[in-house]
Amino acid sequence: MSEGHWIVNTVIGGQPMAFNMDTLLTMWSAMLFLIVVSLIATRNLSIFPTKLQLVFEKILGYFKDLTDGMIGKDGKKHFPLIASLFLFIVTANLMGQLPLKMIELKHGEFASPTNDINLTAGLAIVVLIYYVTAGLIKKKGKFFLHELSFVGIISMLVEILELFTRPLTLALRLFGNILAGEILISALLALFAWGLPLPIMFFEILVACVQALVFTMLTTVYIATAVGDSH
């Protein structure tokens, strides 16, 4: 396993920029895979669904019920983001379990793009911007300041602090769990190439799915808190 990322330095608009190309390639691969599979699953929709259509219906049905139950009547507005987040994150997480690491690169490796803090931080920032915007549209000025009083101002300051801690915890949780799992598997493969890594790899598949679900459910909670009447 090579160390670090495959970093390409360039200049855009007179500013030096650095890109983790291994992360970009695996991220776009995950998105392309989802687009292709989605097109295949929805190409010939039928009341007697194929196995692929049935899988998508079950997944999307679960998240539709989740958004309706946690957010309420406005849940359908936020359903596309929530379902898309889960599908992308679970696909990206599982890419680390594919034999892509057998492809030797001079720098970096083909692994889960979610083992890069830049990607998980980007996802968390998207979630932050989304639920703050949704809250401002729904409640306008009352989103931050509920009442003009000492208690109201203190509450506003606490909530502003939470705006920074929520995306931080989202990004670090996903990044840490995926990276730790891949490091563990790589270490076991180096020590015991046959047999022993298999149980850990199966466990990491479960972790990949659970972490995608945790990220998505926390996003749903944040949106529900932002647009809910009790906020």
Side-chain angles (χ1 to χ4, degrees):
M1 182 181 70
S2 56
E3 298 294 334
H5 288 280
W6 173 20
I7 300 175
V8 173
N9 296 292
T10 186
V11 177
I12 299 178
Q15 298 295 323
M17 304 286 288
F19 296 93
N20 292 348
M21 293 304 298
D22 49 348
T23 300
L24 289 174
L25 288 173
T26 50
M27 177 187 71
W28 282 100
S29 297
M31 290 190 289
L32 180 62
F33 172 80
L34 283 175
I35 291 172
V36 171
V37 172
S38 299
L39 290 174
I40 294 174
T42 58
R43 183 177 54 184
N44 296 309
L45 295 177
S46 171
I47 58 173
F48 301 104
T50 62
K51 292 181 179 180
L52 184 59
Q53 180 184 335
L54 185 61
V55 169
F56 269 78
E57 287 180 354
K58 292 294 185 182
I59 294 174
L60 297 180
Y62 172 80
F63 285 103
K64 183 180 182 302
D65 293 339
L66 177 70
T67 53
D68 289 344
M70 296 184 68
I71 301 175
K73 62 180 181 179
D74 292 333
K76 62 182 180 181
K77 297 179 181 178
H78 312 289
F79 165 73
L81 172 75
I82 293 170
S84 298
L85 270 177
F86 174 79
L87 290 172
F88 171 72
I89 293 174
V90 75
T91 302
N93 289 351
L94 291 173
M95 290 186 71
Q97 308 307 317
L98 299 176
L100 295 177
K101 293 187 178 184
M102 297 178 64
I103 302 175
E104 292 290 336
L105 297 176
K106 185 177 180 180
H107 302 289
E109 62 179 351
F110 288 120
S112 300
T114 44
N115 78 356
D116 188 341
I117 188 64
N118 296 288
L119 177 62
T120 60
L123 291 172
I125 291 171
V126 168
V127 171
L128 170 65
I129 294 173
Y130 183 90
Y131 78 74
V132 169
T133 302
L136 289 172
I137 292 174
K138 181 73 177 293
K139 301 177 180 178
K140 298 181 173 57
K142 293 184 178 180
F143 176 71
F144 289 110
L145 185 60
H146 309 302
E147 59 181 45
L148 189 58
S149 65
F150 177 76
V151 175
I153 293 174
I154 294 298
S155 298
M156 180 185 69
L157 294 175
V158 171
E159 290 182 7
I160 291 175
L161 178 61
E162 287 183 350
L163 292 180
F164 292 96
T165 58
R166 285 175 178 176
L168 178 64
T169 56
L170 279 177
L172 291 179
R173 181 185 295 107
L174 180 58
F175 160 72
N177 280 281
I178 300 304
L179 180 62
E182 292 188 354
I183 291 175
L184 176 60
I185 291 173
S186 298
L188 290 175
L189 285 172
L191 294 174
F192 306 96
W194 299 97
L196 183 59
L198 286 177
I200 304 298
M201 293 177 71
F202 284 119
F203 176 73
E204 286 304 316
I205 292 175
L206 176 62
V207 171
C209 296
V210 169
Q211 289 303 315
L213 184 60
V214 168
F215 191 104
T216 308
M217 292 194 71
L218 286 175
T219 299
T220 308
V221 170
Y222 297 155
I223 296 172
T225 303
V227 302
D229 295 332
S230 61
H231 176 69

